[in-house]
């Protein structure tokens, strides 16, 4: 093939290499440059995200955050950062991102409505793990339920009751309830009320109660000890006894003191009044009854 044929093929009857080079190659090169820059940006963004997540995990550890909350927050932050990074890369490449965001928003709304109850429990679990109103091992009271916390999960919290029953409580309702944490502090106050007869000598009753308290080795001597008249009732003088013990000694000391009060009061002849019902029987004269018309 001679030079004229080649020139004819490239200029007229075949490929127009000059037009191809001048028209298409710059666009292709531009696309390649954009893709290369996007890959570099993704690599840099990934390194930055990894560094941020490592920094956050160390911050969570220094703040003694619960492991479950730390893992959950790390996952949410990681997903959010990668989502933002990908959107920025798409915008740099000239791709439409508004439709993707709208689609994800609609899907998130549908899932949220379908899992409304579970999401409320999930949010309650995160709130409990963050604010720490109680920890595993604490004895809490919630409404008519009370027991020792055996586990705190993202959705449910488990309580072990005194009779060894396990109560599974949804975190959503638990986070909105009034929670009494009985064992959060190192010590507890024992409050015992006992009524005595108005005929009793208050000083003698106080001395007997003080002797009972002194026999309890678990009572904290550096804390206030109160033996007072709390109320003048309709049928008894109400005495109140307040002592402080370590939280692990609460029930043993309380039970021992109640038993000792009953025994010592019986020995000392101190009367503990109790409600009584007087029944009066009226005898009807049969002759008088028969005489009525």
């Amino acid at each position: 093939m001679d030079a004229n044929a080649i020139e004819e093929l490239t200029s007229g009857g075949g490929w127009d290499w000059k037009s191809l080079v001048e028209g298409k190659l710059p666009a292709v090169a531009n696309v390649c440059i954009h893709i290369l820059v996007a890959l570099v940006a993704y690599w840099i963004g990934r390194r930055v995200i990894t560094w941020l997540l490592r920094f956050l995990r160390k911050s969570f550890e220094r703040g003694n955050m619960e492991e479950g909350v730390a893992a959950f927050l790390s996952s949410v932050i990681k997903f959010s950062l990668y989502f933002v990074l990908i959107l920025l890369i798409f915008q740099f490449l000239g791709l439409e991102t508004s439709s993707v965001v709208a689609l994800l928003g609609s899907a998130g709304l549908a899932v949220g409505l379908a899992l409304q109850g579970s999401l409320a429990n999930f949010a309650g679990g995160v709130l409990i793990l963050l604010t720490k109103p109680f920890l595993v091992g604490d004895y809490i009271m919630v409404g008519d339920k009370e027991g020792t916390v055996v586990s705190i999960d993202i959705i449910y919290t488990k309580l072990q009751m005194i009779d060894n029953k396990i109560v599974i409580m949804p975190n959503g309702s638990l986070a909105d309830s009034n929670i009494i944490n009985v064992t959060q502090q190192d010590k507890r106050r024992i409050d015992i009320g006992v009524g005595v007869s108005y005929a009793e000598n208050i000083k003698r009753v106080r001395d007997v109660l003080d002797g009972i308290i002194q026999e309890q080795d678990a009572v904290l001597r550096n804390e206030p000890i109160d033996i007072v008249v709390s109320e003048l009732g309709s049928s008894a003088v109400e005495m109140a006894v307040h002592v402080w013990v370590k939280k692990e000694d609460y029930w043993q000391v309380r039970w021992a003191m109640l038993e000792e009060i009953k025994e010592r009061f019986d020995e000392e002849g101190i009367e503990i009044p109790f409600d009584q019902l007087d029944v009066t029987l009226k005898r009807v004269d049969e002759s008088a009854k028969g005489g009525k018309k």
Side-chain angles (χ1 to χ4, degrees):
M1 182 178 296
D2 56 10
N4 295 329
I6 295 176
E7 184 179 357
E8 182 181 357
L9 178 63
T10 56
S11 61
W15 301 288
D16 190 354
W17 293 102
K18 186 177 180 180
S19 300
L20 179 63
V21 172
E22 292 179 353
K24 302 296 183 181
L25 189 58
V28 174
N30 187 41
V31 171
C32 293
I33 292 174
H34 277 70
I35 293 175
L36 180 61
V37 172
L39 291 175
V40 173
Y42 177 79
W43 181 81
I44 296 174
R46 184 177 179 182
R47 295 292 297 271
V48 172
I49 291 174
T50 302
W51 179 83
L52 286 175
L53 292 175
R54 189 182 300 114
F55 175 77
L56 286 174
R57 280 193 290 268
K58 291 181 179 179
S59 300
F60 293 158
E61 292 175 0
R62 287 195 297 267
N64 295 324
M65 184 177 291
E66 292 289 336
E67 183 178 353
V69 179
F72 167 73
L73 290 179
S74 297
S75 299
V76 172
I77 294 173
K78 180 180 179 181
F79 173 80
S80 302
L81 291 176
Y82 271 106
F83 181 72
V84 172
L85 176 61
I86 292 174
L87 284 182
L88 292 176
I89 292 175
F90 280 2
Q91 288 183 351
F92 174 76
L93 293 176
L95 300 177
E96 184 65 32
T97 58
S98 58
S99 58
V100 176
V101 174
L103 179 61
L104 291 176
S106 300
L109 179 60
V111 173
L113 292 176
L115 302 176
Q116 186 175 2
S118 299
L119 290 177
N121 292 333
F122 180 81
V126 173
L127 183 63
I128 289 173
L129 291 172
L130 283 175
T131 58
K132 298 181 181 179
F134 54 83
L135 301 174
V136 174
D138 286 347
Y139 190 93
I140 65 173
M141 303 171 64
V142 184
D144 59 345
K145 300 291 188 299
E146 59 180 281
T148 303
V149 181
V150 295
S151 68
I152 305 174
D153 299 326
I154 291 294
I155 304 297
Y156 298 103
T157 294
K158 294 182 181 179
L159 300 183
Q160 183 178 15
M161 302 180 71
I162 298 178
D163 57 0
N164 214 31
K165 294 179 182 177
I166 299 295
V167 179
I168 301 176
M169 307 189 68
N171 286 334
S173 59
L174 186 60
D176 293 334
S177 302
N178 294 324
I179 302 172
I180 300 176
N181 193 327
V182 178
T183 57
Q184 190 176 48
Q185 303 297 325
D186 295 332
K187 55 191 176 183
R188 293 183 63 185
R189 193 179 77 171
I190 298 177
D191 298 335
I192 296 178
V194 58
V196 298
S197 171
Y198 272 93
E200 299 294 340
N201 185 287
I202 299 300
K203 185 178 183 302
R204 186 169 78 97
V205 174
R206 184 181 287 110
D207 291 340
V208 173
L209 292 174
D210 183 67
I212 295 173
I213 293 173
Q214 298 305 321
E215 294 174 359
Q216 301 297 323
D217 296 333
V219 172
L220 301 177
R221 309 299 175 184
N222 58 339
E223 297 293 337
I225 297 176
D226 300 322
I227 305 174
V228 297
V229 176
S230 62
E231 185 181 353
L232 298 176
S234 58
S235 59
V237 177
E238 300 294 335
M239 304 293 296
V241 179
H242 303 154
V243 297
W244 290 85
V245 296
K246 294 181 179 179
K247 62 181 181 181
E248 59 268 19
D249 297 330
Y250 178 84
W251 290 110
Q252 288 75 14
V253 175
R254 179 178 176 84
W255 293 333
M257 287 186 61
L258 287 173
E259 182 176 348
E260 189 66 19
I261 287 173
K262 177 62 171 68
E263 292 180 355
R264 291 289 298 277
F265 275 23
D266 289 345
E267 293 174 1
E268 298 292 336
I270 299 176
E271 180 185 357
I272 301 177
F274 55 91
D275 293 337
Q276 302 183 47
L277 177 64
D278 294 332
V279 179
T280 302
L281 299 178
K282 184 177 180 180
R283 182 176 178 180
V284 179
D285 189 352
E286 293 293 337
S287 59
K289 181 179 178 181
K292 292 182 180 181
K293 299 296 183 180

